[in-house]
Amino acid sequence: MNVVINGEAREVAADATLASVLDDFGVPERGVAVALDGAVVPRASWRGTAVHADASIEVLTAVQGG
């Protein structure tokens, strides 16, 4: 099925979870925040959060500095 990750269309498995999608695309488990359809998903919920067709996933990386 198709989803959008950071503005790019991607193909993922029909039974994908947020954790499996992030793992498939090499997203680290630490130092990132993830939103599914505009709502932030806590890291503890990634494995149990199903991804639906045409979902919008945004991955934000934490940065330091000023």
Side-chain angles (χ1 to χ4, degrees):
M1 80 179 146
N2 292 315
V3 299
V4 176
I5 301 174
N6 287 354
E8 290 187 35
R10 303 289 186 123
E11 182 74 22
V12 299
D15 61 347
T17 64
L18 192 54
S20 67
V21 170
L22 297 173
D23 187 50
D24 287 348
F25 291 99
V27 175
E29 288 189 28
R30 300 270 183 227
V32 297
V34 177
L36 177 62
D37 295 328
V40 174
V41 180
R43 182 175 288 107
S45 298
W46 291 0
R47 295 209 181 282
T49 301
V51 174
H52 59 85
D54 300 318
S56 176
I57 301 168
E58 293 293 326
V59 180
L60 306 167
T61 304
V63 293
Q64 287 182 260

